[in-house]
Amino acid sequence: MDEPLRITLLYSANIAGDLALLPRLYTFLRRLQAPERQNTLLLDLGRSCSAAILHCRETGGRSTLIVLDGMGYHAANIAGALDRENRAKLAAIVTMGLVDETADWLYHVPPIHDPSIRVRLRPRDDGARLQIILAPAASTRIEGTALYLQAVGAGHVGEAVVDLRGAPCLLRACVHPMPPDTPPNPSIAGAVEFVEAEARFFARQAGQTRTT
């Protein structure tokens, strides 16, 4: 089994249903995914939707996560965001890992599959050589085999670089603010339009059901 010697994590959090942010965020992430950032993982630390937003309500919290999957994210924290039914619906159509209290994501960035690197909500003593804790922390740091990631706001991308030759070692940690002039990616803008249109359709259908 091949093993990565170094991995780079780029991560977001607190999108809170702001789909208009995502086409620009995708452009920014592509800029950050330079060749020297080896074995890059794209992760979301949670709070991707908000019940105050129509498309979040009408899709049961799936809307933002669908777009993140289209952006190439490897895993997202869905704890408290989806009920069982909507989790099952989402799992059937996305490829990214849906991480919550019941499920981890094991490192798989083709051609490398390394189950000793696990993305999860809380550290456990189960032999993992690196545990990426997919919940916001006060700072980015490594404690034992657990990597904690500093909380970031919407429109910011956190970065952490970890050396895995021996015990995990944090080489770099920073937060990148997205420049205000970052242009939107047309493909992701189209995905956002589709998700919003579907949510409006669901809302109309629900309204018609209530009035009949």
Side-chain angles (χ1 to χ4, degrees), residues 120-156:
R120 55 183 31 156
L121 291 190
R122 295 176 184 82
R124 294 199 295 273
D125 184 13
D126 60 1
R129 67 178 177 129
L130 178 65
Q131 305 181 74
I132 300 168
I133 308 305
L134 204 61
S139 62
T140 299
R141 65 193 188 277
I142 290 179
E143 296 180 1
T145 63
L147 170 64
Y148 296 88
L149 299 171
Q150 178 183 338
V152 296
H156 292 72

Side-chain angles (χ1 to χ4, degrees), residues 64-66 68-69 73-76 78 90 94-98 105:
T64 304
L65 293 163
I66 289 170
L68 292 182
D69 181 67
Y73 273 63
H74 294 93
I78 64 162
L90 186 63
V94 301
T95 59
M96 71 177 179
L98 305 179
W105 181 78

Side-chain angles (χ1 to χ4, degrees), residues 45-47 76-82 98-101 121-122 134:
L45 302 190
R47 198 170 174 265
N77 177 353
I78 64 162
L82 303 173
L98 305 179
V99 176
D100 57 16
E101 295 86 351
L121 291 190
R122 295 176 184 82
L134 204 61

